[in-house]
Amino acid sequence: MESKKHTKIGRPRTIDRNYLLDLAEKIVLEHGAPALTIDALAKAAGITKGGVQYCFGTKDGLIDAMLTRWGNKFDKQVTAEKNGKTDMLSHIAAHIRVTRDSDPLSDSRFAAMLASLSPNADQLADTQQWYRKQLEGLDVSTQQGRNARLAFIANEGAFLLRSFQLFDLNEDEWQQIFRDIEKLLPKKIDD
């Protein structure tokens, strides 16, 4: 009799990219940016190192994916907060409101990822481009435009100080700072 070897043929296993990004953020949050490696992520996910490399290529690709996901999420929140308004003053006001209402834990994750950027010029350039886009089209020849730019810079400064835990603020102090920042914007935009 001839023996036939039966092999199990099934659906190829898929890797959930968002799950890997969640795990990567957790590694950064719990152990710092230097602990984030392809190997550490593979072990945390229970997959092979090749599986992580298939999704992201390199560690730089992984960090880029993390930053892109964070930026896209933030941009969607800003778009929703603008309520259909398309002018730059409304954009900056919405950006400030989203930052004001942000979660300190999520902000710390993002700050840790930003801290890991310094050695990579491409990722730094992507972040610089994202910031340029936030102010693109703002008319700084007007006092309103200059005040909006100043409010944006104050917003980002407060965000980074809190995110890097350099400025310890309780929730009331945080909200008070944003009330002051929002006073720089035209009244009709804040509504």
Side-chain angles (χ1 to χ4, degrees):
M1 273 180 114
E2 211 175 317
S3 172
K4 291 184 179 179
K5 186 177 179 181
H6 294 285
T7 57
K8 184 178 179 183
I9 299 175
R11 214 174 100 192
R13 186 174 176 192
T14 59
I15 299 172
D16 184 343
R17 190 175 157 93
N18 278 319
Y19 175 69
L20 291 179
L21 291 172
D22 290 341
L23 287 176
E25 287 180 5
K26 184 178 179 184
I27 290 169
V28 170
L29 181 64
E30 293 177 357
H31 306 288
L36 180 61
T37 64
I38 297 289
D39 192 47
L41 182 55
K43 285 178 185 173
I47 63 174
T48 66
K49 193 173 170 178
V52 175
Q53 290 170 322
Y54 175 77
C55 285
F56 304 107
T58 63
K59 181 178 176 181
D60 288 341
L62 170 62
I63 292 170
D64 186 52
M66 294 168 74
L67 292 170
T68 298
R69 183 171 83 154
W70 186 91
N72 289 341
K73 179 182 173 189
F74 188 87
D75 289 344
K76 284 179 186 174
Q77 291 172 313
V78 169
T79 298
E81 186 68 31
K82 288 186 337 188
N83 294 320
K85 295 178 184 173
T86 59
D87 63 284
M88 280 308 297
L89 292 174
S90 295
H91 175 80
I92 290 172
H95 184 107
I96 289 168
R97 287 191 300 271
V98 169
T99 303
R100 176 195 65 206
D101 298 337
S102 66
D103 172 42
L105 183 60
S106 295
D107 295 347
S108 292
R109 288 180 188 158
F110 179 68
M113 286 186 284
L114 270 181
S116 69
L117 284 179
S118 53
N120 187 314
D122 289 337
Q123 290 166 340
L124 182 58
D126 289 344
T127 302
Q128 289 170 335
Q129 182 180 358
W130 184 84
Y131 271 107
R132 272 193 304 274
K133 182 181 169 192
Q134 301 309 305
L135 296 174
E136 194 173 85
L138 182 65
D139 183 3
V140 294
S141 70
T142 68
Q143 188 62 49
Q144 253 186 351
R146 287 191 301 277
N147 284 353
R149 179 178 58 187
L150 181 60
F152 179 83
I153 291 168
N155 174 83
E156 293 305 289
F159 167 77
L160 290 172
L161 286 170
R162 180 175 81 166
S163 297
F164 283 112
Q165 299 175 357
L166 299 172
F167 200 46
D168 187 26
L169 298 168
N170 64 42
E171 186 59 26
D172 288 339
E173 292 169 321
W174 179 254
Q175 294 299 321
Q176 184 180 43
I177 285 170
F178 276 87
R179 282 191 298 275
D180 290 341
I181 289 171
E182 289 170 332
K183 286 178 185 174
L184 292 169
L185 299 173
K187 294 295 178 211
K188 66 178 182 156
I189 298 299
D190 286 340
D191 299 334

